[in-house]
Amino acid sequence: MVDTRTPRERLRRADSALEDLLGLIGERVRTRLGELEGEGLLARLEHAWVDAYEALDLVYGAGTDVAALLRDLVDVVVEAAAARPPSLRALDRRREVDPGWFQRSRMIGYACYADRFAGSLAGISDRLDYLAELGVTYLHIMPVLAPRAGENDGGYAVADYRAVDPRLGTMADLQALAGDLHRRGMALCIDLVLNHTAREHEWAARAAAGDAAYRDFYLVFPDRALPDLYERTLPEIFPDMAPGNFTHSAELDGWVWTTFHEFQWDLNYGNPAVFRAMLETMLDLANRGVDVLRLDAVPFLWKRMGTDCQNQPEAHLLVQAFRALTRVAAPGLVFKAEAIVAPEMLVQYLGAHDRYRPECDLAYNNQLMVMLWSALAARDGTLLTRSAARLRAVPPTTGWVTYVRCHDDIGWAVSDTDAGSVGLGGFAHRIFLSQFYSGRFPGSFARGALFQETPWGEARISGMTASLCGIEAALADGDPDALASGIRRLELLYSVVFSFGGIPLIWMGDEIALGGDQHWADDPAHAADNRWLHRPVMDWAAAARRTEPGSVEHRAFQAILGLVAARRSQLALRAGGETTVLPTDNPRVLAYRRRHQRSGPFLAVASFSDTAESVDASLLAAAGIGRPTGVHSSAGMGGLLLAGGRVHLPPWGYVWVAEE
Ligand code: GLC
């Protein structure tokens, strides 16, 4: 018997399926979209075909006629293309000509909750001058789609993908905001929660009402037999708030898979109808003007017995198929992976597999974020250097999203191997970090809170950057020196985020060193989840002080503005280039070189020490820089300090160096 699933055979089938399909729909597409648009779509379809076919065949091929499935999915795509508004088609044209549009050094991200930043979506439009002043060109608004009422995991329990949370506005407001952003050359990113829906979503309601087709949208088990087997290898995401991974549902008369909270039901991607429904959802959002979809919890899409049910090959294949198909209708759309996984698993979400398979265009660099905090607490860059050096290069068409803080807790993803390789015990170091950032460690400047503490004493951390950097404690103590140190730490962390390669993301409020929300627990829907500590309401009175020299807000804001301006002047900082970590003779210092095809070399040197430090100046030559010039440095430092054959840095100082 011929094995019809060998790669060669698959390609042959893909080819003939494409030929059949083009024969079937070619004329219809040209009539439906017009000659020019139709021709463009057909070309994109041919271009994307193998990626879509191969991925879907590997996932569904065993039990499904993939050619028929694709014919149906392509209908969805053609309809979405026909409905795409002219202004977005114009953006598509630009981005087809300039596919690296999101990789530019001018890309500066900002992330916020619409209500906490500006009251509503319409309110954000009124704050665009503020974002423009800051240099923002990429706005990530935290979940905006209609969530379930009551507890909803900060909006990550979506009850309707076609509607906006009524507290924030309407779909028309979202479209209007997208238009306002585009007119200013800014891109809009929103979350697509595709691993699960709220149990109130229509699909779940239909399942609960006994509709078998919709029951198959979820992973439902009649008894505990299989769930118990799965649980043997499944971790718990929120052990305090939501223990276990399955929830009993009386209506379903069974156990439904709930990785996160009991009200978030995991979707069954083994069912192609779920893939189709999510494809429609993505295309609908793209047609509303969304430029970037943040694929929430993407590692969890596929479950496999005996594993932790994360990062399974099928999860990647599904995203590859989504990408290929969405791009046919909306070529300007970009995917961002939210994959908070071990470093060796991370670059695959950017398509770096055995060979490049287009997947996400952007991915959060969680590892860098964790290691920055680790270095700051330890006053030592060794572990950071080690882990950054181990991170594989990203495909040139993609990029990282680099960040200091986000709306989630910080999990101490410090592997035992990495820690061991620099002489630390992984466990002890993780305990040290949570002790340090919760302010328990003697001498700690941080004022964070422990999140999801385990019985054996490990914990994640909640808290704003200003709290974790020591600014909050310094303000409370009225200590000007401690305050200056805190601001230097904030600037240092952001300096790495702005120059490591990728899109830097400012978490709302960090630009004015905003502290945590001390009343986070007053809302009963938040009381069990101290991540609300670092999701404060924007303090516009404080923001107004950014123009008052000497104020904390002014100092933080100026630090960020300096980074924005310096970054924009450096071609080497665009995404897609290479970041190479360089060894130095000082363990307290991190040094890395950036290079982009079109740029000369760029070197960043950053010190995590609370005292003055220096490194051997041979580092400059090692970075390929012959006539060095400081292009930016920490506040008050005044550029590259070279003396006695060494590069000097003040406490928490950094310098960016390029060829003169
Ligand atoms: C992501 C979000 C997090 C949420 C989870 C479940 O990790 O960032 O806030 O709890 O997904 O949707």
Side-chain angles (χ1 to χ4, degrees), residues 84 88-102 182 185-188 289-292 327 331-334:
R84 192 144 172 90
L88 297 178
R89 290 191 196 186
L91 257 184
D92 288 339
R93 284 306 82 78
R94 298 188 72 103
R95 292 174 182 174
E96 280 183 285
V97 172
D98 178 21
W101 65 273
F102 63 90
H182 291 154
M186 298 178 181
L188 172 63
V290 173
D291 303 285
V292 182
R327 289 293 176 102
L333 185 68
V334 157

Side-chain angles (χ1 to χ4, degrees), residues 246-298:
F246 300 86
T247 301
H248 189 260
S249 156
E251 300 121 304
L252 293 175
D253 188 22
W255 292 84
V256 59
W257 200 304
T258 52
T259 301
F260 294 89
H261 295 91
E262 35 87 26
F263 51 79
Q264 288 160 305
W265 290 7
D266 287 46
L267 285 162
N268 171 20
Y269 278 94
N271 176 1
V274 170
F275 182 90
R276 184 188 197 279
M278 201 47 77
L279 177 67
E280 280 184 319
T281 306
M282 290 177 170
L283 289 170
D284 178 57
L285 293 170
N287 278 354
R288 308 287 183 173
V290 173
D291 303 285
V292 182
L293 285 175
R294 171 190 179 277
L295 303 185
D296 180 66
V298 67

